[in-house]
Amino acid sequence: MNMDIGRTLVCFSGGVDSTGALLKLIDEGKNPVAFWCDYGQPYNEPEKEAVERICKKLNIQLIEAILDLSDLIAIGGKKFGHVFPARNLMIASIGLCFKPKEIVLAGLCDELVVPDKSLRMYDEFIKYFEIPLYSPFVNMTKTEVLCVWKAKWDKYLNAKETVSCYSNNGDCQDCSSCAKRKVAFVASGYTNQYPQVFTNQHELIEGHWFSRVDIFQYERRTDMLIALSKYQEKLTPKLQELVSYNCQKYKEEIDKRKNQLNELKEQ
Ligand SMILES: [Zn+2]
């Protein structure tokens, strides 16, 4: 497939972060190309549907690369307990074939934990490949991206059209990805509906999340508490207790965070 040399290539998965990156570039008057890789990931079907639907709506060129690595993914899962180590590096490297001006890999500030989606990766990619790789959201969380989205990009696309779910139907409301996504949607005020995943995944939230609430980054902690407290009466009794206790404990932080988010929405 041909692509004009010198355009920005966005590694695209149909989720909030990479779609937000496309919208930011469009809003700045640029003409990005979306790049999606079907490498045999377990949730590739809803992803494919989403990336094609979104690019069509935004009238953006989409390049799809297909390489079936599902056997290797199964081995990697067993060996490293990880869906696919270094998949971001692989996707970005394939993107180099199209000789873009730059490559966007939309990592959020609280998610830069894997080596190939980290500040070091953004720093060093250019040294080896001579093309810059960056994230426009390197200082932002998903909640903050959605605040800006509501204020500036809603005219292009509703954020609910994005997909990021570890199941084959794209919006199971019963996985950790859905839970994280809904925290951001509720905390940002993008939606005003109780997300069923807060009930379905209560064990994950009560156990895995709240056991680490004190060591979470400030943004992650406050966003989670803001989102859960909004629908406190619908939560399980145990979750209600955890939310009340921590909302009191972190009251000042939460107030500060709410102000920050409101400022982003008023841009
Ligand atoms: Zn899900």
Side-chain angles (χ1 to χ4, degrees):
M1 191 176 294
N2 290 323
M3 178 184 131
D4 299 336
I5 290 174
R7 284 164 74 186
T8 302
L9 187 97
V10 177
C11 299
F12 190 44
S13 70
V16 166
D17 320 341
S18 59
T19 309
L22 280 175
L23 294 177
K24 186 171 191 294
L25 289 161
I26 292 171
D27 202 46
E28 289 165 357
K30 297 180 181 142
N31 183 19
V33 178
F35 177 58
W36 178 64
C37 194
D38 180 351
Y39 51 90
Q41 61 270 51
Y43 33 87
N44 55 356
E45 278 171 39
E47 247 186 60
K48 182 180 168 69
E49 186 279 322
V51 298
E52 290 179 354
R53 174 171 41 78
I54 291 169
C55 287
K56 204 171 168 189
K57 275 210 168 156
L58 295 176
N59 198 19
I60 275 188
Q61 186 183 355
L62 170 67
I63 298 174
E64 296 187 15
I66 300 166
L67 62 164
D68 186 1
L69 302 175
S70 43
D71 292 350
L72 289 175
I73 291 172
I75 296 169
K78 272 191 210 135
K79 221 169 166 179
F80 307 105
H82 195 306
V83 175
F84 187 166
R87 68 178 187 278
N88 298 305
L89 176 59
M90 181 196 74
I91 293 167
S93 310
I94 298 171
L96 289 168
C97 302
F98 303 98
K99 297 193 168 42
K101 179 178 74 179
E102 53 188 11
I103 299 179
V104 168
L105 177 68
L108 303 168
C109 73
D110 55 340
E111 286 178 347
L112 302 174
V113 288
V114 289
D116 65 330
K117 200 192 243 185
S118 62
L119 292 176
R120 188 175 167 202
M121 168 85 165
Y122 292 126
D123 259 8
E124 301 206 342
F125 192 86
I126 191 167
K127 288 188 203 164
Y128 300 99
F129 301 112
E130 294 173 353
I131 286 178
L133 176 87
Y134 75 97
S135 168
F137 305 135
V138 84
N139 294 316
M140 294 172 81
T141 64
K142 205 185 285 297
T143 306
E144 289 168 41
V145 171
L146 283 171
C147 288
V148 176
W149 191 314
K150 187 97 189 161
K152 292 171 120 176
W153 308 329
D154 236 18
K155 60 186 176 218
Y156 305 114
L157 190 82
N158 190 302
K160 289 177 196 167
E161 298 231 20
T162 62
V163 171
S164 52
C165 168
Y166 297 142
S167 87
N168 234 352
N169 80 10
D171 185 26
C172 72
Q173 290 293 301
D174 198 6
C175 74
S176 60
S177 182
C178 278
K180 254 186 120 175
R181 175 180 160 93
K182 287 299 175 183
V183 162
F185 270 85
V186 175
S188 63
Y190 200 97
T191 41
N192 287 306
Q193 249 182 343
Y194 177 67
Q196 212 49 49
V197 68
F198 287 177
T199 302
N200 297 341
Q201 285 287 308
H202 72 94
E203 282 179 5
L204 168 97
I205 301 170
E206 292 160 6
H208 196 54
W209 290 8
F210 270 102
S211 67
R212 295 181 298 150
V213 70
D214 296 322
I215 56 165
F216 272 169
Q217 277 183 26
Y218 145 77
E219 293 89 350
R220 174 142 193 221
R221 173 166 55 238
T222 47
D223 290 356
M224 167 179 138
L225 291 170
I226 290 168
L228 291 169
S229 62
K230 213 163 173 180
Y231 296 104
Q232 183 130 3
E233 73 289 353
K234 299 203 175 196
L235 304 171
T236 60
K238 185 173 175 192
L239 208 42
Q240 288 191 17
E241 220 175 279
L242 286 165
V243 171
S244 310
Y245 173 79
N246 283 286
C247 278
Q248 259 178 335
K249 183 172 172 185
Y250 292 108
K251 191 179 176 309
E252 270 176 44
E253 260 192 12
I254 291 171
D255 290 341
K256 183 178 146 203
R257 181 66 173 161
K258 282 182 176 166
N259 286 333
Q260 274 180 338
L261 295 177
N262 281 334
E263 276 170 29
L264 279 177
K265 281 187 251 180
E266 283 158 12
Q267 279 188 90

